[in-house]
């Protein structure tokens, strides 16, 4: 058993799995175990892993425990299968379309926890990599300031990043299987409720594969599943006690979803905060929204015929 459990849930994506395993194999830190839970509808990943058992190309796979689910479990359930099999002191989730940016990425992530023994989790910046572009992202100073004061600040916007950008101490926490859109926030909040101390670096130690098949691409801008997730989080963690969380909920859900004052009151949002947002929206409509719409409409009407 390795000190770090690298948990890799997979689904019909052999080439991405190979890329990730290659980056694991190159890591300077190798006190690891690898757990792969495969939700694939074919046997390509299973066959490839089987062939590596007698080869030396990927020594890290000699520390691998592989499970092909009898039938696909679905995203979050498969993620939890990997976590439940982990035996290491530290849990390192790696979604199979992500990878370690540098050879010492895992070493640096482990060091964050070992240098700060009071921290429950550590997270890093990331490289967002698509077929046409790549850029680095990291938590802002403003987010870190609010997050340090109250871990529930995470509800206002997940600047921790994707689960692949996180390493945490084994504590029996899994993804909440009620969740859909904000599944990563559910996991982080469960960990932080037990111990809200954290460590972080802005260095992009993890690369996140950005593509159209990502789980979150299935969600619309206004989506009931988003609202349901954040309602659960807001109530379960009594986020109404945090002003930033209340303001976020009013701005992102109460008005865009047209839920009204009665709903806002049920979420323990003070009338003054509700009214303030209503005034901001009305003011914007009067000074910018309506004039812009009128100009756009007139522009279409007076445009010369082609």
């Amino acid at each position: 058993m390795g000190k770090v459990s690298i948990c890799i849930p997979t689904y019909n994506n052999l080439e991405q799995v190979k890329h990730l395993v290659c980056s694991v194999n190159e890591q300077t830190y190798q006190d690891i175990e690898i757990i792969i839970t495969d939700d694939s509808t074919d046997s390509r990943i299973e066959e490839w892993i089987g062939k590596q058992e007698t080869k030396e190309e990927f020594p890290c796979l000699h520390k691998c425990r592989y499970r092909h689910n009898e039938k696909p479990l679905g995203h979050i359930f498969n993620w939890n299968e990997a976590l439940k099999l982990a035996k290491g002191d530290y849990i390192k989730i790696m979604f199979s379309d992500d990878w370690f940016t540098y050879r010492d990425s895992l070493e640096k992530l482990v060091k964050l926890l070992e240098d700060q023994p009071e921290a429950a989790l550590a997270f890093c910046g990331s490289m967002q990599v698509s077929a046409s572009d790549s850029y680095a992202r990291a938590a802002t100073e403003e987010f870190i300031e609010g997050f340090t004061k109250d871990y529930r600040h995470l509800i206002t916007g997940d600047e921790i990043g994707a689960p692949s950008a996180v390493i945490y101490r084994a504590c029996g926490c899994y993804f909440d299987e009620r969740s859909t859109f904000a599944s990563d926030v559910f996991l982080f909040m469960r960990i932080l409720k037990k111990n809200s101390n954290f460590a972080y670096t802005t260095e992009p130690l993890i690369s996140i594969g950005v593509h159209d098949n990502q789980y979150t691409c299935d969600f619309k801008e206004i989506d009931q599943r988003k609202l349901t997730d954040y309602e659960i989080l807001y109530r379960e963690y009594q986020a109404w006690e945090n002003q930033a969380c209340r303001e976020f909920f009013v701005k992102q859900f109460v008005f865009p979803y047209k839920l009204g004052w009665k709903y806002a009151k049920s979420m323990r949002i003070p009338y003054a905060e509700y009214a303030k947002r209503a005034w901001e929206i009305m003011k914007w409509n009067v000074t910018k929204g309506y004039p812009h719409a009128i100009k756009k409409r007139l522009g279409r009407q007076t445009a010369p015929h082609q």
Side-chain angles (χ1 to χ4, degrees), residues 76 176 178-184 186 215 219 223-235 249 253:
I76 294 170
D176 191 318
R178 298 172 297 173
S179 66
T180 53
F181 177 77
S183 51
D184 49 355
F186 275 84
Y215 177 60
F219 294 85
D223 196 308
Q224 180 62 38
R225 294 170 294 177
K226 292 182 181 180
L227 174 62
T228 300
D229 272 12
Y230 278 94
E231 278 182 337
I232 293 171
L233 287 165
Y234 188 87
R235 294 180 189 276
F249 204 87
F253 295 105

Side-chain angles (χ1 to χ4, degrees), residues 181-242:
F181 177 77
S183 51
D184 49 355
V185 179
F186 275 84
L187 174 63
F188 303 154
M189 293 286 281
R190 281 181 167 182
I191 297 167
L192 293 162
K193 185 177 182 179
K194 292 186 173 187
N195 174 6
S196 62
N197 294 303
F198 66 92
Y200 81 102
T201 176
T202 58
E203 190 175 2
L205 302 178
I206 300 296
S207 291
I208 307 296
V210 179
H211 51 83
D212 293 337
N213 294 325
Q214 285 179 300
Y215 177 60
T216 51
C217 292
D218 293 336
F219 294 85
K220 300 175 183 177
E221 184 176 354
I222 301 295
D223 196 308
Q224 180 62 38
R225 294 170 294 177
K226 292 182 181 180
L227 174 62
T228 300
D229 272 12
Y230 278 94
E231 278 182 337
I232 293 171
L233 287 165
Y234 188 87
R235 294 180 189 276
E236 194 164 304
Y237 293 92
Q238 301 178 350
W240 58 78
E241 296 174 346
N242 182 299

Side-chain angles (χ1 to χ4, degrees), residues 40-305:
S40 296
T41 55
D42 58 42
S43 60
R44 295 177 65 216
I45 294 174
E46 182 175 12
E47 290 172 359
W48 180 76
I49 291 174
K51 290 177 181 178
Q52 307 312 311
E53 292 180 355
T54 57
K55 297 181 180 179
E56 293 301 321
E57 184 179 1
F58 297 107
C60 67
L61 286 179
H62 299 170
K63 308 171 186 178
C64 176
R65 282 184 287 145
Y66 171 86
R67 174 180 290 180
H68 196 163
N69 302 323
E70 290 185 10
K71 60 180 181 179
L73 301 176
H75 288 89
I76 294 170
F77 298 93
N78 189 38
W79 302 348
N80 278 344
E81 279 298 299
L83 296 181
K84 290 173 183 177
L85 292 172
K87 296 181 179 179
D89 294 331
Y90 301 157
I91 309 298
K92 180 72 197 80
I93 303 168
M94 287 298 293
F95 286 165
S96 51
D97 48 0
D98 304 331
W99 62 94
F100 292 102
T101 306
Y102 313 115
R103 292 186 68 248
D104 61 351
S105 288
L106 182 55
E107 182 179 345
K108 288 181 175 179
L109 284 164
V110 169
K111 190 173 187 298
L112 284 172
L113 287 180
E114 296 192 337
D115 284 352
Q116 298 188 49
E118 74 284 358
L121 63 75
F123 60 95
C124 62
S126 61
M127 290 297 300
Q128 305 291 302
V129 184
S130 68
S132 60
D133 190 22
S134 66
Y135 62 92
R137 66 153 301 280
T140 62
E141 291 182 6
E142 181 182 9
F143 171 80
I144 294 297
E145 181 180 356
F147 191 40
T148 301
K149 292 177 181 177
D150 185 346
Y151 75 94
R152 292 174 296 186
H153 188 76
L154 177 63
I155 291 175
T156 69
D158 178 14
E159 293 192 23
I160 287 180
S164 294
V166 173
I167 186 170
Y168 65 94
R169 299 183 195 278
C171 57
C173 289
Y174 308 116
F175 290 96
D176 191 318
E177 292 174 354
R178 298 172 297 173
S179 66
T180 53
F181 177 77
S183 51
D184 49 355
V185 179
F186 275 84
L187 174 63
F188 303 154
M189 293 286 281
R190 281 181 167 182
I191 297 167
L192 293 162
K193 185 177 182 179
K194 292 186 173 187
N195 174 6
S196 62
N197 294 303
F198 66 92
Y200 81 102
T201 176
T202 58
E203 190 175 2
L205 302 178
I206 300 296
S207 291
I208 307 296
V210 179
H211 51 83
D212 293 337
N213 294 325
Q214 285 179 300
Y215 177 60
T216 51
C217 292
D218 293 336
F219 294 85
K220 300 175 183 177
E221 184 176 354
I222 301 295
D223 196 308
Q224 180 62 38
R225 294 170 294 177
K226 292 182 181 180
L227 174 62
T228 300
D229 272 12
Y230 278 94
E231 278 182 337
I232 293 171
L233 287 165
Y234 188 87
R235 294 180 189 276
E236 194 164 304
Y237 293 92
Q238 301 178 350
W240 58 78
E241 296 174 346
N242 182 299
Q243 182 178 350
C245 290
R246 295 196 306 269
E247 292 175 350
F248 168 81
F249 204 87
V250 169
K251 184 176 181 180
Q252 296 298 323
F253 295 105
V254 175
F255 282 94
Y257 288 74
K258 300 179 181 179
L259 297 171
W261 162 240
K262 186 176 180 180
Y263 174 85
K265 184 179 179 181
S266 74
M267 302 300 282
R268 303 195 184 189
I269 293 166
Y271 182 75
E273 293 178 9
Y274 175 85
K276 178 184 177 183
R277 182 58 185 165
W279 168 250
E280 289 171 350
I281 292 172
M282 183 179 71
K283 185 178 178 182
W284 185 89
N285 283 332
V286 170
T287 60
K288 295 181 180 179
Y290 295 147
H292 176 74
I294 292 170
K295 288 178 183 178
K296 189 174 181 181
R297 178 69 177 170
L298 290 174
R300 285 201 298 267
Q301 291 177 342
T302 59
H305 294 290

